[in-house]
Amino acid sequence: MIRYQEIAYDLRGSLEAAGDLTRAIASESELCQRYSASRTTIRAALKQLENEGLIERRQGKGTFYKPPHIAKNLGSIVDFHTEARLAGRTPTTHVVAMDTRMATPADTVLFGLPMARAGVVELTRLRKLDGQPAVLQRSLLGRSVVKGITAGMLENASLYGLLAEHNGIRVATIEETLVPCQVEAQDAHHLDIPVGSAVFRSHRVARDHEGTVIEVSDNLIRGDIYRFTIRRQVDTAMQDTMRGAI
């Protein structure tokens, strides 16, 4: 293995071991000292990692690690655009379809009769990261909830942000269920992946502070882009209780 390839291999391992967070890496001078290598060799190693998409150079800021996966905390209600920017990615949202229809009996049970009387809106959006399709999201909302919000307003925007800003509706809680599945032909086309590829299917229910259902969504999430994490806090009081019972 050529020297710059050895350095690239070592850097790749150390960057990936430190977790899925975008962060600045050492300068070329620091890497020269660390590996006792010339600047030309270090630049060749960095170029290899850049070609692999693992790092990116930001003018005036330095070189940053760009993790291949986005680590998503299941306990968070951070919107797609904010989450992507925190991960050092460039997010975009395209509205595939936005249609209004009469509510079905199942919709009435879900949203309640007063909201269902006005009808419901089916909203399909394609979310991209750095121009790459990442999430296909199909949402169902009460028509009164999205009153005054158009498909054009939802381009490259947060749905929850618009609901809060324009209609005073704020999401307080989200229940989300994840299951692995294989993508079908139509959805594979949107996500730009082969039919049968493994994806996460997320069923999500968002409610306001009073418990009223605001949105129900079915989301297909590319498994080669996202990783899901769960953070738990140790209940020391419960530990002490259990210890005393043993």
Side-chain angles (χ1 to χ4, degrees), residues 13-21 23:
S14 61
L15 289 170
E16 292 176 345
D20 293 323
L21 292 176
R23 57 191 177 279

Side-chain angles (χ1 to χ4, degrees), residues 17-75:
D20 293 323
L21 292 176
T22 297
R23 57 191 177 279
I25 69 171
S27 66
E28 289 183 1
S29 297
E30 292 170 327
L31 292 174
C32 286
Q33 294 180 359
R34 182 187 304 175
Y35 291 103
S36 299
S38 68
R39 190 175 291 268
T40 300
T41 300
I42 293 299
R43 285 177 177 172
L46 293 176
K47 183 63 177 176
Q48 178 172 321
L49 295 180
E50 186 176 13
N51 291 339
E52 294 174 5
L54 287 179
I55 64 171
E56 63 179 357
R57 301 174 191 270
R58 301 180 186 176
Q59 188 173 4
K61 295 183 178 180
T63 302
F64 288 76
Y65 172 53
K66 183 180 176 182
H69 296 86
I70 289 185
K72 183 176 178 62
N73 179 11
L74 287 175

Side-chain angles (χ1 to χ4, degrees), residues 177-190:
T177 302
L178 283 173
V179 294
C181 66
Q182 292 180 312
V183 68
E184 298 180 354
Q186 181 181 356
D187 296 332
H189 172 74
H190 284 300

Side-chain angles (χ1 to χ4, degrees), residues 223-241:
D224 59 335
I225 294 178
Y226 278 89
R227 287 179 180 170
F228 291 88
T229 61
I230 300 174
R231 292 187 176 90
R232 296 186 177 93
Q233 183 173 348
V234 176
D235 188 332
T236 54
M238 179 63 72
Q239 282 188 330
D240 292 340
T241 301

